[in-house]
Amino acid sequence: MSDYIKTPLDIDSPEFQGSVLRGILGSIVGMSVCVLVLLLCWLVDFNRLMILLQLLVGAVIGWFYRLFHGRRSKPTAYAIVGVCTMLTCLLWMPVLVAVRLSCEIPLSRLAQMPVEAWAELWSRFGKLPLLFAGLGLIGLVFSRGRLLAYVDWRKGPWYIAGFNAGGATYNMLPEKLPDNRPPERFAVSSRFTSGERIVVEGDTLRWTRSIRRDRGFARRDIAGVVLGPSGGSNVIFDQNYQVLAKFAGSMENSDLLLRWLMERDIPLHNALDGWCVPPEEEPVTGEQFVSREQPALQQRFTLRLKRSTRRGFTGIGVFLLLFGIAFAAVLVWWVQYDPMTPAELAVLVALDLILLVLSVIFLRMGKVCRVEVDGERIRAYSRFGVPAEFSVRDVADVSRSIGWIVLYDREWKTLAKLDPGLEHLELLERYLAAYGVRM
C-alpha cells in the first residue's frame, strides 16, 4: 500500500471521522426502507421476490450508513450494520404476520388464542426468520466492498478493485506492455457495456459512463493505480484515495493505458514483475505513416469472407434447415397420435419457425458479409446484411475486439464492426495506413 501519499484531508476532524449516532440513525432509516419494500412485495403477492430481497438488505443499510456519515471504524460499522441487518430479517415477517392477523381477526380474539395455536404458528413459520437472517448476513458479506471503502478509506481503492468488475466480466492483465508508444488521443472502451470508456487526450483523461455524469481529471490528479484480481478491476485514485476511474484488463486498449501510466511515473500497485516501458521504436502521433491528403494505393476493392468461414456458416445453416424440417415432420406425426393444447402447439411451431429463420440467416451470412471500398467511401455489411456507409476520413482509430475489428470516429463512436475472417485484410490495412490510421 502507498503510505507515502500525502493527502490534504483533515483526517482528525470530527466531520471526517463521522458519528456513531448518525450511523445508527442511517441504519434505522435503511431498516425502515427495507421493511416498506418487503411490505409492498407482500401486498402484491411477490413471495419469491421477498426471499431474494434478503440478500440486498445489508447493502441497503450499509448505503444509508455511508449516506448519514457514520463512524469511520470497521468494528463500529460492522456492529451497527450487521445488527440492523439481522433485526430487519428477523422481525419483518413476524410484524407482517401480526398486521395480517390483526386485519383478519380482531385484537380481542387474537389475545384469546390458545397457546397451542401460537405453538403451531411458530412451528410453521419460526424457522423462516432464521433463514432470512442468514441470507441477509450472506448478502452483507458479498456487498461489503463499498462499506469497507468508506470506513477504511486508505484502503478504499484496494477494496473497490477487488469487488467491482468495472463494466467488464474479467480483468485479464497483459503479460507485457505494447512496444509502441500510445498515441496522443485514444480510448479504453468496454466490449460488453455500451458507453463505458476512458478517453485519453494528452495529459487529460475523461471517464464516461452511460448513466452517470462524465468525470474529467488530469495526470497531476492521479496518485496511483491499484490493479485488481481477475474478478475485479483496476482503480485510478487521487490523493484523497477517491476513485477517479475504473477499467478492466479485458477492455480495448487497456494495455495502452497501462503503458501511458507507467511512462508518466504513476505507481502501479500489484503490477506484474515483467512489466517495463520498452524502448520507443517510433513516436505515434495523430497523423501516422503519411499525411491524410495522400491518396490510397488501391482505391476500389471488395473484401469477402474467407472460404473456410463461408463453409462454416453454410454448414451451420444446412444443419439448422434439416433439423427444422425434421422437427416439423415429427411435430405433424406427433399431433396425429397425441393431441396437444393450443398453447403447447403454438410454442412448438414458434420454435420450429425460429430454427428455419436462423438457418436462412446463416446461409446468407457468407454472401452478405463484406466490405466494399470505392475511393474514399467505405460500405461495410454486417453478417445480417445491414450496411454502414461512411468516409475513410471519418475513421480515427481501429481496435481489434473479441471476434470483431471495430472502426471508430473522432468521438469514439462505432462506425462499423468488421468480421476478422475477411480475405486480404492487408489491402484494408494499407488503405487505412495511407490515410494515417493504424489497424
PDB file of all heavy atoms in Angstrom, residues 62 76 186 233 318 345 422 432:
ATOM      1  N   GLY A  62     -26.090  -0.579   4.631  1.00  0.00           N
ATOM      2  CA  GLY A  62     -24.743  -0.026   4.532  1.00  0.00           C
ATOM      3  C   GLY A  62     -24.698   1.260   3.732  1.00  0.00           C
ATOM      4  O   GLY A  62     -23.933   2.185   4.050  1.00  0.00           O
ATOM      5  N   THR A  76     -17.148  -0.643  14.462  1.00  0.00           N
ATOM      6  CA  THR A  76     -18.413   0.058  14.673  1.00  0.00           C
ATOM      7  C   THR A  76     -19.362  -0.147  13.504  1.00  0.00           C
ATOM      8  O   THR A  76     -20.560  -0.421  13.673  1.00  0.00           O
ATOM      9  CB  THR A  76     -18.145   1.554  14.881  1.00  0.00           C
ATOM     10  OG1 THR A  76     -17.237   1.723  15.971  1.00  0.00           O
ATOM     11  CG2 THR A  76     -19.437   2.292  15.169  1.00  0.00           C
ATOM     12  N   PHE A 186      -6.499   8.414 -27.483  1.00  0.00           N
ATOM     13  CA  PHE A 186      -7.043   7.071 -27.646  1.00  0.00           C
ATOM     14  C   PHE A 186      -8.093   6.856 -26.567  1.00  0.00           C
ATOM     15  O   PHE A 186      -8.248   7.666 -25.638  1.00  0.00           O
ATOM     16  CB  PHE A 186      -5.941   6.000 -27.570  1.00  0.00           C
ATOM     17  CG  PHE A 186      -5.266   5.904 -26.233  1.00  0.00           C
ATOM     18  CD1 PHE A 186      -5.674   4.960 -25.295  1.00  0.00           C
ATOM     19  CD2 PHE A 186      -4.211   6.740 -25.892  1.00  0.00           C
ATOM     20  CE1 PHE A 186      -5.060   4.857 -24.059  1.00  0.00           C
ATOM     21  CE2 PHE A 186      -3.585   6.646 -24.661  1.00  0.00           C
ATOM     22  CZ  PHE A 186      -4.006   5.706 -23.746  1.00  0.00           C
ATOM     23  N   SER A 233     -11.259  -5.072 -10.851  1.00  0.00           N
ATOM     24  CA  SER A 233     -10.977  -4.026 -11.834  1.00  0.00           C
ATOM     25  C   SER A 233      -9.712  -3.296 -11.412  1.00  0.00           C
ATOM     26  O   SER A 233      -9.148  -3.547 -10.344  1.00  0.00           O
ATOM     27  CB  SER A 233     -12.151  -3.046 -11.933  1.00  0.00           C
ATOM     28  OG  SER A 233     -12.353  -2.410 -10.674  1.00  0.00           O
ATOM     29  N   VAL A 318     -27.231 -25.255 -43.148  1.00  0.00           N
ATOM     30  CA  VAL A 318     -27.804 -26.506 -43.658  1.00  0.00           C
ATOM     31  C   VAL A 318     -28.257 -27.395 -42.513  1.00  0.00           C
ATOM     32  O   VAL A 318     -29.334 -28.010 -42.553  1.00  0.00           O
ATOM     33  CB  VAL A 318     -26.788 -27.222 -44.563  1.00  0.00           C
ATOM     34  CG1 VAL A 318     -27.276 -28.617 -44.916  1.00  0.00           C
ATOM     35  CG2 VAL A 318     -26.541 -26.411 -45.827  1.00  0.00           C
ATOM     36  N   LEU A 345     -48.929 -26.324 -28.775  1.00  0.00           N
ATOM     37  CA  LEU A 345     -48.717 -26.374 -30.217  1.00  0.00           C
ATOM     38  C   LEU A 345     -48.143 -25.068 -30.741  1.00  0.00           C
ATOM     39  O   LEU A 345     -47.249 -25.059 -31.604  1.00  0.00           O
ATOM     40  CB  LEU A 345     -50.041 -26.694 -30.909  1.00  0.00           C
ATOM     41  CG  LEU A 345     -49.983 -26.886 -32.439  1.00  0.00           C
ATOM     42  CD1 LEU A 345     -49.049 -28.043 -32.794  1.00  0.00           C
ATOM     43  CD2 LEU A 345     -51.378 -27.120 -33.007  1.00  0.00           C
ATOM     44  N   LEU A 422     -12.317 -11.876 -42.894  1.00  0.00           N
ATOM     45  CA  LEU A 422     -12.298 -11.359 -44.252  1.00  0.00           C
ATOM     46  C   LEU A 422     -10.979 -11.714 -44.949  1.00  0.00           C
ATOM     47  O   LEU A 422      -9.912 -11.726 -44.320  1.00  0.00           O
ATOM     48  CB  LEU A 422     -12.492  -9.840 -44.253  1.00  0.00           C
ATOM     49  CG  LEU A 422     -13.853  -9.324 -43.761  1.00  0.00           C
ATOM     50  CD1 LEU A 422     -13.819  -7.813 -43.617  1.00  0.00           C
ATOM     51  CD2 LEU A 422     -14.967  -9.747 -44.707  1.00  0.00           C
ATOM     52  N   LEU A 432      -6.075   2.046 -45.099  1.00  0.00           N
ATOM     53  CA  LEU A 432      -6.230   2.909 -43.923  1.00  0.00           C
ATOM     54  C   LEU A 432      -4.925   3.585 -43.548  1.00  0.00           C
ATOM     55  O   LEU A 432      -4.910   4.756 -43.098  1.00  0.00           O
ATOM     56  CB  LEU A 432      -6.761   2.093 -42.756  1.00  0.00           C
ATOM     57  CG  LEU A 432      -8.175   1.538 -42.879  1.00  0.00           C
ATOM     58  CD1 LEU A 432      -8.528   0.669 -41.688  1.00  0.00           C
ATOM     59  CD2 LEU A 432      -9.207   2.653 -43.046  1.00  0.00           C
TER      60      LEU A 432
END
